[in-house]
Amino acid sequence: MTTQTLGLEQNLYDYLLSVSLREPKILTQLRQETNQHPMGRMQIAPEQGQFLALLVQLLGAKKTLELGVFTGYSSLVVALALPPEGKVVACDVSEEFTAIARRYWQQAGVADKIHLCIAPAMETLDQLLLAKQAETFDFAFIDADKSKYDDYYERSLQLVRPGGVIAIDNVLWSGRVADPQVQDNRTKKIRAFNQKLHQDTRISLSLIPIADGLTLALKN
């Protein structure tokens, strides 16, 4: 995992941020607090957050799904980009991490847009499908347990409408996916997932080398 785009020299990365990043103060404060957290490397990069917000705006999204909240940067950036009636269904298992997220959602005035589900993500996804919410979401962001990406993707594909987008984080996995010497379970799972999506005719596909690699899957 990485909190900035892979492969860029620091001076070029700093330049990228200086001419592109328009980060609201509340997001800067959350990012800085999370950077001090022992698990701070799990936070998405600010340029990635801004890209997600742009996607949400381009889609005209009103209903979004998030798998993996951590301290809430991605859910906050999406909630800020949604219209007043917009909603985020956010899934996580940690009360500790999401307590930070809740505090910032409240400060930003978007807490009413975000429905947090503290439960294993698969349980929440299955409940949404049982509640007949298939094809009602405009956008989904997957950034949870890497070994379950395939399961999360399949459920999200059912929940997102045709023309909706699923974004999946960490698909370049700090470059380990391209190193044949790396054969741990999570890396192998991400490799297999990337290969599956490459062949999946249900979607239009692009893997963007932003942050730690972000796959965009447009549902046909």
Side-chain angles (χ1 to χ4, degrees):
M1 297 181 186
T2 177
T3 57
Q4 68 179 62
T5 292
L6 289 169
L8 293 181
E9 294 182 358
Q10 191 62 47
N11 64 333
L12 183 56
Y13 179 69
D14 291 342
Y15 176 78
L16 180 154
L17 296 184
S18 74
V19 298
S20 173
L21 187 63
R22 298 176 175 179
E23 186 177 50
K25 184 177 180 180
I26 190 71
L27 285 169
T28 304
Q29 292 170 343
L30 173 54
R31 182 163 56 87
Q32 290 173 344
E33 179 174 339
T34 305
N35 284 342
Q36 304 306 311
H37 194 282
M39 301 296 289
R41 62 189 175 81
M42 291 171 56
Q43 179 170 245
I44 69 168
E47 68 273 18
Q48 180 182 0
Q50 184 165 292
F51 182 64
L52 294 179
L54 182 62
L55 281 176
V56 165
Q57 291 173 313
L58 286 169
L59 286 165
K62 294 182 179 179
K63 186 178 180 182
T64 73
L65 179 65
E66 175 168 290
L67 310 182
V69 174
F70 189 39
T71 60
Y73 190 96
S74 53
S75 47
L76 178 54
V77 80
V78 167
L80 288 169
L82 288 173
E85 70 276 19
K87 295 294 180 184
V88 180
V89 177
C91 307
D92 206 286
V93 294
S94 173
E95 291 279 9
E96 176 189 355
F97 295 157
T98 57
I100 300 170
R102 287 179 188 272
R103 175 159 46 88
Y104 279 91
W105 298 340
Q106 193 68 42
Q107 290 178 25
V110 298
D112 61 330
K113 290 184 177 181
I114 304 172
H115 176 60
L116 177 63
C117 303
I118 299 293
M122 287 298 291
E123 290 183 11
T124 301
L125 296 173
D126 286 340
Q127 288 171 2
L128 290 170
L129 289 169
L130 284 172
K132 299 183 179 180
Q133 294 197 45
E135 297 194 344
T136 65
F137 287 82
D138 303 297
F139 175 77
F141 179 49
I142 300 176
D143 187 18
D145 183 355
K146 312 310 170 193
S147 66
K148 295 181 181 177
Y149 264 19
D150 194 10
D151 292 329
Y152 296 153
Y153 168 73
E154 288 295 336
R155 298 301 195 282
S156 297
L157 197 60
Q158 295 179 62
L159 289 163
V160 168
R161 62 170 172 82
V165 170
I166 303 170
I168 307 105
D169 198 17
N170 303 117
V171 291
L172 292 182
W173 202 228
S174 297
R176 292 191 290 274
V177 287
D179 184 349
Q181 300 301 314
V182 180
Q183 293 295 330
D184 63 276
N185 182 61
R186 284 193 297 176
T187 303
K188 289 194 289 186
K189 288 276 191 178
I190 294 173
R191 283 193 193 113
F193 177 74
N194 289 341
Q195 288 291 340
K196 171 181 173 171
L197 264 63
H198 188 219
Q199 304 299 325
D200 193 343
T201 58
R202 298 171 295 176
I203 59 167
S204 298
L205 175 71
S206 183
L207 195 165
I208 309 297
I210 190 172
D212 197 26
L214 183 71
T215 286
L216 301 181
L218 172 71
K219 182 175 177 178
N220 295 334

